[in-house]
PDB file of all heavy atoms in Angstrom:
ATOM      1  N   GLN D 151     -71.305  30.791 -66.584  1.00  0.00           N
ATOM      2  CA  GLN D 151     -70.851  31.214 -65.278  1.00  0.00           C
ATOM      3  C   GLN D 151     -69.326  31.147 -65.178  1.00  0.00           C
ATOM      4  O   GLN D 151     -68.760  31.075 -64.123  1.00  0.00           O
ATOM      5  CB  GLN D 151     -71.428  30.282 -64.220  1.00  0.00           C
ATOM      6  CG  GLN D 151     -71.225  28.815 -64.490  1.00  0.00           C
ATOM      7  CD  GLN D 151     -71.938  27.924 -63.522  1.00  0.00           C
ATOM      8  OE1 GLN D 151     -72.548  28.410 -62.569  1.00  0.00           O
ATOM      9  NE2 GLN D 151     -71.899  26.624 -63.755  1.00  0.00           N
ATOM     10  N   PHE D 152     -68.668  31.174 -66.314  1.00  0.00           N
ATOM     11  CA  PHE D 152     -67.228  31.080 -66.330  1.00  0.00           C
ATOM     12  C   PHE D 152     -66.605  32.467 -66.373  1.00  0.00           C
ATOM     13  O   PHE D 152     -67.051  33.328 -67.127  1.00  0.00           O
ATOM     14  CB  PHE D 152     -66.765  30.276 -67.563  1.00  0.00           C
ATOM     15  CG  PHE D 152     -65.284  30.248 -67.718  1.00  0.00           C
ATOM     16  CD1 PHE D 152     -64.537  29.451 -66.877  1.00  0.00           C
ATOM     17  CD2 PHE D 152     -64.658  30.997 -68.678  1.00  0.00           C
ATOM     18  CE1 PHE D 152     -63.181  29.416 -67.023  1.00  0.00           C
ATOM     19  CE2 PHE D 152     -63.300  30.957 -68.823  1.00  0.00           C
ATOM     20  CZ  PHE D 152     -62.541  30.165 -67.988  1.00  0.00           C
ATOM     21  N   ASP D 153     -65.603  32.696 -65.550  1.00  0.00           N
ATOM     22  CA  ASP D 153     -64.912  33.949 -65.492  1.00  0.00           C
ATOM     23  C   ASP D 153     -63.466  33.677 -65.186  1.00  0.00           C
ATOM     24  O   ASP D 153     -63.151  32.913 -64.256  1.00  0.00           O
ATOM     25  CB  ASP D 153     -65.528  34.860 -64.404  1.00  0.00           C
ATOM     26  CG  ASP D 153     -64.957  36.279 -64.486  1.00  0.00           C
ATOM     27  OD1 ASP D 153     -64.026  36.513 -65.280  1.00  0.00           O
ATOM     28  OD2 ASP D 153     -65.469  37.169 -63.759  1.00  0.00           O
ATOM     29  N   LYS D 154     -62.552  34.286 -65.937  1.00  0.00           N
ATOM     30  CA  LYS D 154     -61.117  34.039 -65.711  1.00  0.00           C
ATOM     31  C   LYS D 154     -60.674  34.429 -64.351  1.00  0.00           C
ATOM     32  O   LYS D 154     -59.824  33.791 -63.734  1.00  0.00           O
ATOM     33  CB  LYS D 154     -60.340  34.771 -66.797  1.00  0.00           C
ATOM     34  CG  LYS D 154     -58.814  34.502 -66.758  1.00  0.00           C
ATOM     35  CD  LYS D 154     -58.116  35.224 -67.866  1.00  0.00           C
ATOM     36  CE  LYS D 154     -56.620  34.915 -67.840  1.00  0.00           C
ATOM     37  NZ  LYS D 154     -55.909  35.634 -68.932  1.00  0.00           N
ATOM     38  N   ASP D 155     -61.236  35.542 -63.803  1.00  0.00           N
ATOM     39  CA  ASP D 155     -60.846  35.987 -62.484  1.00  0.00           C
ATOM     40  C   ASP D 155     -61.201  34.947 -61.452  1.00  0.00           C
ATOM     41  O   ASP D 155     -60.471  34.796 -60.453  1.00  0.00           O
ATOM     42  CB  ASP D 155     -61.536  37.322 -62.152  1.00  0.00           C
ATOM     43  CG  ASP D 155     -61.023  38.450 -63.048  1.00  0.00           C
ATOM     44  OD1 ASP D 155     -59.897  38.299 -63.548  1.00  0.00           O
ATOM     45  OD2 ASP D 155     -61.753  39.417 -63.244  1.00  0.00           O
ATOM     46  N   SER D 156     -62.321  34.240 -61.636  1.00  0.00           N
ATOM     47  CA  SER D 156     -62.702  33.227 -60.643  1.00  0.00           C
ATOM     48  C   SER D 156     -61.718  32.061 -60.641  1.00  0.00           C
ATOM     49  O   SER D 156     -61.487  31.428 -59.660  1.00  0.00           O
ATOM     50  CB  SER D 156     -64.116  32.737 -60.927  1.00  0.00           C
ATOM     51  OG  SER D 156     -64.167  32.062 -62.182  1.00  0.00           O
ATOM     52  N   VAL D 157     -61.122  31.786 -61.823  1.00  0.00           N
ATOM     53  CA  VAL D 157     -60.134  30.707 -61.912  1.00  0.00           C
ATOM     54  C   VAL D 157     -58.912  31.084 -61.070  1.00  0.00           C
ATOM     55  O   VAL D 157     -58.371  30.301 -60.284  1.00  0.00           O
ATOM     56  CB  VAL D 157     -59.738  30.455 -63.375  1.00  0.00           C
ATOM     57  CG1 VAL D 157     -58.607  29.446 -63.446  1.00  0.00           C
ATOM     58  CG2 VAL D 157     -60.925  29.965 -64.143  1.00  0.00           C
ATOM     59  N   LEU D 158     -58.429  32.321 -61.239  1.00  0.00           N
ATOM     60  CA  LEU D 158     -57.265  32.759 -60.454  1.00  0.00           C
ATOM     61  C   LEU D 158     -57.570  32.789 -58.962  1.00  0.00           C
ATOM     62  O   LEU D 158     -56.731  32.468 -58.144  1.00  0.00           O
ATOM     63  CB  LEU D 158     -56.838  34.160 -60.929  1.00  0.00           C
ATOM     64  CG  LEU D 158     -56.415  34.255 -62.406  1.00  0.00           C
ATOM     65  CD1 LEU D 158     -56.141  35.697 -62.772  1.00  0.00           C
ATOM     66  CD2 LEU D 158     -55.167  33.396 -62.650  1.00  0.00           C
ATOM     67  N   GLN D 159     -58.761  33.192 -58.610  1.00  0.00           N
ATOM     68  CA  GLN D 159     -59.143  33.251 -57.217  1.00  0.00           C
ATOM     69  C   GLN D 159     -59.216  31.839 -56.621  1.00  0.00           C
ATOM     70  O   GLN D 159     -58.897  31.620 -55.457  1.00  0.00           O
ATOM     71  CB  GLN D 159     -60.504  33.950 -57.086  1.00  0.00           C
ATOM     72  CG  GLN D 159     -60.793  34.371 -55.618  1.00  0.00           C
ATOM     73  CD  GLN D 159     -62.028  35.243 -55.547  1.00  0.00           C
ATOM     74  OE1 GLN D 159     -62.836  35.258 -56.475  1.00  0.00           O
ATOM     75  NE2 GLN D 159     -62.185  35.942 -54.478  1.00  0.00           N
ATOM     76  N   THR D 160     -59.629  30.851 -57.403  1.00  0.00           N
ATOM     77  CA  THR D 160     -59.696  29.478 -56.921  1.00  0.00           C
ATOM     78  C   THR D 160     -58.301  28.953 -56.604  1.00  0.00           C
ATOM     79  O   THR D 160     -58.094  28.230 -55.637  1.00  0.00           O
ATOM     80  CB  THR D 160     -60.355  28.564 -57.970  1.00  0.00           C
ATOM     81  OG1 THR D 160     -61.641  29.070 -58.271  1.00  0.00           O
ATOM     82  CG2 THR D 160     -60.473  27.132 -57.452  1.00  0.00           C
ATOM     83  N   ILE D 161     -57.319  29.339 -57.414  1.00  0.00           N
ATOM     84  CA  ILE D 161     -55.945  28.903 -57.168  1.00  0.00           C
ATOM     85  C   ILE D 161     -55.357  29.531 -55.944  1.00  0.00           C
ATOM     86  O   ILE D 161     -54.627  28.947 -55.169  1.00  0.00           O
ATOM     87  CB  ILE D 161     -55.077  29.224 -58.399  1.00  0.00           C
ATOM     88  CG1 ILE D 161     -55.567  28.389 -59.592  1.00  0.00           C
ATOM     89  CG2 ILE D 161     -53.609  28.896 -58.124  1.00  0.00           C
ATOM     90  CD1 ILE D 161     -55.430  26.889 -59.428  1.00  0.00           C
ATOM     91  N   GLN D 162     -55.659  30.830 -55.706  1.00  0.00           N
ATOM     92  CA  GLN D 162     -55.015  31.570 -54.648  1.00  0.00           C
ATOM     93  C   GLN D 162     -55.627  31.351 -53.261  1.00  0.00           C
ATOM     94  O   GLN D 162     -54.948  31.482 -52.265  1.00  0.00           O
ATOM     95  CB  GLN D 162     -55.049  33.074 -54.970  1.00  0.00           C
ATOM     96  CG  GLN D 162     -54.246  33.406 -56.248  1.00  0.00           C
ATOM     97  CD  GLN D 162     -54.400  34.853 -56.634  1.00  0.00           C
ATOM     98  OE1 GLN D 162     -55.158  35.596 -56.013  1.00  0.00           O
ATOM     99  NE2 GLN D 162     -53.701  35.274 -57.685  1.00  0.00           N
ATOM    100  N   PHE D 163     -56.905  31.002 -53.218  1.00  0.00           N
ATOM    101  CA  PHE D 163     -57.564  30.907 -51.929  1.00  0.00           C
ATOM    102  C   PHE D 163     -58.150  29.531 -51.724  1.00  0.00           C
ATOM    103  O   PHE D 163     -58.500  28.818 -52.685  1.00  0.00           O
ATOM    104  CB  PHE D 163     -58.702  31.957 -51.838  1.00  0.00           C
ATOM    105  CG  PHE D 163     -58.190  33.367 -51.918  1.00  0.00           C
ATOM    106  CD1 PHE D 163     -58.279  34.039 -53.160  1.00  0.00           C
ATOM    107  CD2 PHE D 163     -57.624  34.026 -50.849  1.00  0.00           C
ATOM    108  CE1 PHE D 163     -57.808  35.348 -53.241  1.00  0.00           C
ATOM    109  CE2 PHE D 163     -57.173  35.309 -50.941  1.00  0.00           C
ATOM    110  CZ  PHE D 163     -57.251  35.975 -52.152  1.00  0.00           C
ATOM    111  N   ASP D 164     -58.228  29.134 -50.458  1.00  0.00           N
ATOM    112  CA  ASP D 164     -58.851  27.882 -50.103  1.00  0.00           C
ATOM    113  C   ASP D 164     -60.378  28.108 -50.026  1.00  0.00           C
ATOM    114  O   ASP D 164     -60.849  28.876 -49.174  1.00  0.00           O
ATOM    115  CB  ASP D 164     -58.319  27.412 -48.721  1.00  0.00           C
ATOM    116  CG  ASP D 164     -58.868  26.054 -48.364  1.00  0.00           C
ATOM    117  OD1 ASP D 164     -59.584  25.446 -49.208  1.00  0.00           O
ATOM    118  OD2 ASP D 164     -58.613  25.607 -47.229  1.00  0.00           O
ATOM    119  N   LYS D 165     -61.104  27.429 -50.909  1.00  0.00           N
ATOM    120  CA  LYS D 165     -62.543  27.658 -50.973  1.00  0.00           C
ATOM    121  C   LYS D 165     -63.252  27.232 -49.711  1.00  0.00           C
ATOM    122  O   LYS D 165     -64.334  27.717 -49.388  1.00  0.00           O
ATOM    123  CB  LYS D 165     -63.138  26.931 -52.185  1.00  0.00           C
ATOM    124  CG  LYS D 165     -62.969  25.430 -52.113  1.00  0.00           C
ATOM    125  CD  LYS D 165     -63.574  24.759 -53.359  1.00  0.00           C
ATOM    126  CE  LYS D 165     -63.446  23.240 -53.280  1.00  0.00           C
ATOM    127  NZ  LYS D 165     -64.005  22.595 -54.459  1.00  0.00           N
ATOM    128  N   ASP D 166     -62.644  26.277 -48.954  1.00  0.00           N
ATOM    129  CA  ASP D 166     -63.305  25.811 -47.732  1.00  0.00           C
ATOM    130  C   ASP D 166     -63.237  26.841 -46.606  1.00  0.00           C
ATOM    131  O   ASP D 166     -64.004  26.805 -45.662  1.00  0.00           O
ATOM    132  CB  ASP D 166     -62.671  24.503 -47.270  1.00  0.00           C
ATOM    133  CG  ASP D 166     -62.884  23.383 -48.273  1.00  0.00           C
ATOM    134  OD1 ASP D 166     -63.946  23.412 -48.973  1.00  0.00           O
ATOM    135  OD2 ASP D 166     -62.040  22.484 -48.346  1.00  0.00           O
TER     136      ASP D 166
END
Side-chain angles (χ1 to χ4, degrees):
Q151 52 186 355
F152 175 74
D153 190 353
K154 184 177 180 181
D155 294 335
S156 65
V157 174
L158 298 176
Q159 194 172 19
T160 303
I161 295 297
Q162 296 174 357
F163 299 99
D164 183 6
K165 62 181 181 180
D166 296 330

